[in-house]
Amino acid sequence: MDNSLKVTTMDTKEIWKDTLEIIKISVSSAIFKTWFGQTHIVSLNDLGERLSVEIGCPTNFSKNTIETRYFGLVQDSLNKVINKKCDIVFIVKQNPDKEKVISEINAGLFSDYSKDENLMEIFKKARVRPHFSFENFAVSGSNQMAHAAAEAVSRSLGSAYNPLFIWGGVGVGKTHLMVAVGVYALKNKSDLKVLFCTGEDFTNDIVEGIRNKTTQNFRDKYRKLDLLLIDDIQFIAGKDAVQEEFFHTFNAVTSAGGQIILTSDRPPSEISKLEERLKSRFEAGLIVDIAPPDFELRCAITMIKAQEKGLKLEMDQVQMIAGNADSARKIEGYLIKLMTQVNLKKVGNITQEIIESVIDKGLDANGSAVKKNPTEIIDAITKYYQIKKRDLLGSSRARPLARPRQILMYLLRTELGIPLQEVGRIAGRDHTTVMHAVEKVTQLASSDVNIREDMSKIKMGI
């Protein structure tokens, strides 16, 4: 009897579909969509005791990422589905059923609550944004612990970690993660009393209550909550009356079994003028930090936010945006400008040129136009590369000076928005050389990890 595996085209599709279902359990939905969304089995050959499997990836970058990070996961998942040892090889090959695969994966990935009017009204009353959900949150090493903690809290309000204190820099996803707990809680139990506010909102409410002698209304609003979400809690530091009221609000909510989640730009121990009794209570829960997103996570964030805005981007375009943005807010800023360009020009397909024109405008971590001094950028580059200013701006074409000079022209153009001719005047080059430098570094930022690290450190020194 012949027990060799007879595989048809349909079999390979079913095998890969089942394999992806196993992989999906092991990674976040956003990471799954980013790296596995367009993969497929190219060929599957029976070698007797083992199988040889070629897996197609849409780009060289996605191939290298999956091969480096998820090789074992893919191999183990395939072994389970086929029940036979597999030797796998990743190659760059587009999926012929690309559109169908993407639509299947997207189904259920981005939850649409807008059709449920009652739920939308509940979200509005709680002041939570429904698109800030766990489904729309991209997970990587930089935020994995915070994500796991938030999910644990959402499943067991008031008992898992109370309070949960999430801190980190601008645009790393603190607010998104905190609000996701509220979205999850209300979706599963709509009668919960949930409220999101900022530290400034809380301060304004107590000031208004004192001024208008309506303090009891303030207390009724905050102290009877099942879930209190406060963004930028550091804002209350140094305000004695506000800290006093928050201390009693904190005790009232937690003692009644309610959950509190707080975010800040620094840990409790580093918040100046925060009362010790508040620091003590914050530190009694779980404190987790979120680091700036790495390149892979920024790719996932770009894809998620692009889909939210209805923008169709190819993977190389996603990589270009992610390579030139160091925060989620900067990515958001680029995509908003991209939407504006697309609408103004009424283009059907987004081109590389349009994306490059958007990146050229330069945004800070908040997605706003950057205002810096050219001298600061020059000094940061000479310090980082340990070269002299006259060499950087001089006529020498020596190899050790070429890349720093290109990065200088790139940063002057993208970070400051300086016209090409002016950049050329500063760098001692003509405008065509500047154009070439900007294009070169833009491309390198999306593919060369060393260039990304160099530019990140240079920007930190500006």
Side-chain angles (χ1 to χ4, degrees), residues 46 104 193 201 261 324 390 417 419 458:
D46 190 2
E104 287 177 354
K193 295 176 182 176
D201 292 334
I261 305 179
N324 287 278
R390 68 170 178 268
I458 289 167

Side-chain angles (χ1 to χ4, degrees), residues 80 212 445:
K80 288 176 184 176
N212 300 326

Side-chain angles (χ1 to χ4, degrees), residues 16-33 36 70 73-74 77 80-81 105 109 139 144 147 151 155:
W16 191 239
K17 183 179 178 182
D18 292 343
T19 302
L20 290 178
E21 288 298 324
I22 296 174
I23 293 172
K24 191 185 292 186
I25 298 171
S26 303
V27 299
S28 76
S29 54
I31 293 295
F32 175 81
K33 176 182 181 295
F36 296 96
Y70 304 108
L73 174 61
V74 174
S77 301
K80 288 176 184 176
V81 171
I105 288 169
L109 179 59
V139 185
Q144 197 167 23
H147 176 264
E151 279 201 320
R155 290 192 294 268

Side-chain angles (χ1 to χ4, degrees), residues 399-418:
R399 197 176 189 84
L401 298 173
R403 186 70 74 227
R405 192 177 290 136
Q406 286 180 329
I407 290 176
L408 168 65
M409 290 184 277
Y410 170 86
L411 292 176
L412 288 174
R413 178 73 177 133
T414 61
E415 293 290 306
L416 274 63
I418 296 176

Side-chain angles (χ1 to χ4, degrees), residues 439-457:
E439 183 179 350
K440 180 71 174 177
V441 176
T442 298
Q443 295 289 347
L444 285 173
S446 66
S447 60
D448 190 322
V449 64
N450 294 321
I451 290 294
R452 289 197 298 272
E453 288 179 0
D454 285 350
M455 290 207 297
S456 177
K457 290 173 182 176

Side-chain angles (χ1 to χ4, degrees), residues 275-434:
E275 292 181 0
E276 287 301 322
R277 58 180 177 171
L278 287 178
K279 286 184 182 180
S280 175
R281 275 161 175 73
F282 295 169
E283 291 170 351
L286 177 66
I287 300 172
V288 290
D289 70 307
I290 301 181
D294 58 20
F295 179 65
E296 290 172 19
L297 182 55
R298 296 199 303 275
C299 285
I301 292 169
T302 303
M303 292 187 73
I304 290 171
K305 290 187 177 293
Q307 178 152 338
E308 287 175 358
K309 299 180 190 322
L311 293 170
K312 292 184 178 180
L313 300 178
E314 296 297 326
M315 182 55 79
D316 58 342
Q317 295 173 333
V318 168
Q319 292 166 14
M320 178 170 286
I321 292 172
N324 287 278
D326 51 16
S327 72
R329 289 189 186 176
K330 198 164 185 179
I331 289 170
E332 182 95 31
Y334 282 146
L335 293 176
I336 289 172
K337 288 183 177 293
L338 187 57
M339 278 183 66
T340 304
Q341 290 272 39
V342 170
N343 292 334
L344 283 174
K345 297 180 179 180
K346 293 182 170 54
V347 295
N349 296 317
I350 297 172
T351 64
Q352 208 80 343
E353 290 73 24
I354 293 175
I355 292 178
E356 287 177 3
S357 72
V358 168
I359 292 172
D360 274 353
K361 297 184 186 307
L363 302 169
D364 64 12
N366 290 304
S368 305
V370 179
K371 301 292 182 185
K372 292 190 180 83
N373 189 305
T375 304
E376 293 177 310
I377 293 179
I378 293 170
D379 290 344
I381 290 176
T382 54
K383 182 178 179 181
Y384 181 76
Y385 286 107
Q386 296 185 329
I387 56 179
K388 294 178 180 179
K389 181 177 176 180
R390 68 170 178 268
D391 293 333
L392 178 66
L393 304 179
S395 59
S396 172
R397 297 183 180 226
R399 197 176 189 84
L401 298 173
R403 186 70 74 227
R405 192 177 290 136
Q406 286 180 329
I407 290 176
L408 168 65
M409 290 184 277
Y410 170 86
L411 292 176
L412 288 174
R413 178 73 177 133
T414 61
E415 293 290 306
L416 274 63
I418 296 176
L420 293 171
Q421 288 83 356
E422 180 62 14
V423 172
R425 187 192 65 77
I426 294 171
R429 298 294 184 275
D430 59 45
H431 77 281
T432 55
T433 303
V434 176

Side-chain angles (χ1 to χ4, degrees), residues 94-298:
Q94 290 290 341
N95 189 345
D97 297 327
K98 175 181 172 183
E99 294 302 323
K100 183 181 177 183
V101 171
I102 291 174
S103 63
E104 287 177 354
I105 288 169
N106 287 345
L109 179 59
F110 296 95
S111 302
D112 182 11
Y113 304 116
S114 60
K115 297 173 184 176
D116 189 334
E117 292 182 6
N118 291 332
L119 188 56
M120 287 300 292
E121 189 59 35
I122 290 169
F123 286 147
K124 185 177 179 181
K125 186 178 178 181
R127 297 181 62 191
V128 302
R129 287 166 279 185
H131 65 281
F132 275 16
S133 63
F134 285 120
E135 293 91 343
N136 293 1
F137 188 83
V139 185
S140 185
S142 62
N143 59 20
Q144 197 167 23
M145 184 176 177
H147 176 264
E151 279 201 320
V153 167
S154 69
R155 290 192 294 268
S156 185
L157 294 179
S159 58
Y161 308 109
N162 203 10
L164 175 61
F165 191 103
I166 305 171
W167 68 275
V170 172
V172 295
K174 305 184 299 295
T175 304
H176 185 145
L177 201 51
M178 175 173 67
V179 173
V181 177
V183 171
Y184 180 91
L186 289 170
K187 185 183 68 171
N188 288 279
K189 193 175 181 183
S190 60
D191 60 346
L192 285 174
K193 295 176 182 176
V194 177
L195 181 65
F196 166 85
C197 69
T198 65
E200 185 176 5
D201 292 334
F202 187 89
T203 299
N204 292 339
D205 280 356
I206 186 58
V207 169
E208 186 177 336
I210 294 171
R211 182 188 300 129
N212 300 326
K213 297 182 173 59
T214 56
T215 308
Q216 190 55 47
N217 293 342
F218 167 87
R219 290 170 181 167
D220 290 341
K221 176 181 177 180
Y222 284 96
R223 295 191 183 184
K224 298 177 181 179
L225 294 169
D226 297 305
L227 174 60
L228 174 58
L229 311 166
I230 300 189
D231 204 17
D232 293 325
I233 191 64
Q234 75 274 5
F235 189 85
I236 72 170
K239 302 174 177 67
D240 295 340
V242 178
Q243 291 191 84
E244 175 74 21
E245 193 58 47
F246 182 74
F247 175 76
H248 294 298
T249 298
F250 184 99
N251 289 342
V253 172
T254 54
S255 62
Q259 175 73 46
I260 292 179
I261 305 179
L262 310 166
T263 72
S264 173
D265 60 356
R266 69 205 81 169
S269 60
E270 295 180 15
I271 300 178
S272 176
K273 298 181 181 178
L274 182 67
E275 292 181 0
E276 287 301 322
R277 58 180 177 171
L278 287 178
K279 286 184 182 180
S280 175
R281 275 161 175 73
F282 295 169
E283 291 170 351
L286 177 66
I287 300 172
V288 290
D289 70 307
I290 301 181
D294 58 20
F295 179 65
E296 290 172 19
L297 182 55
R298 296 199 303 275

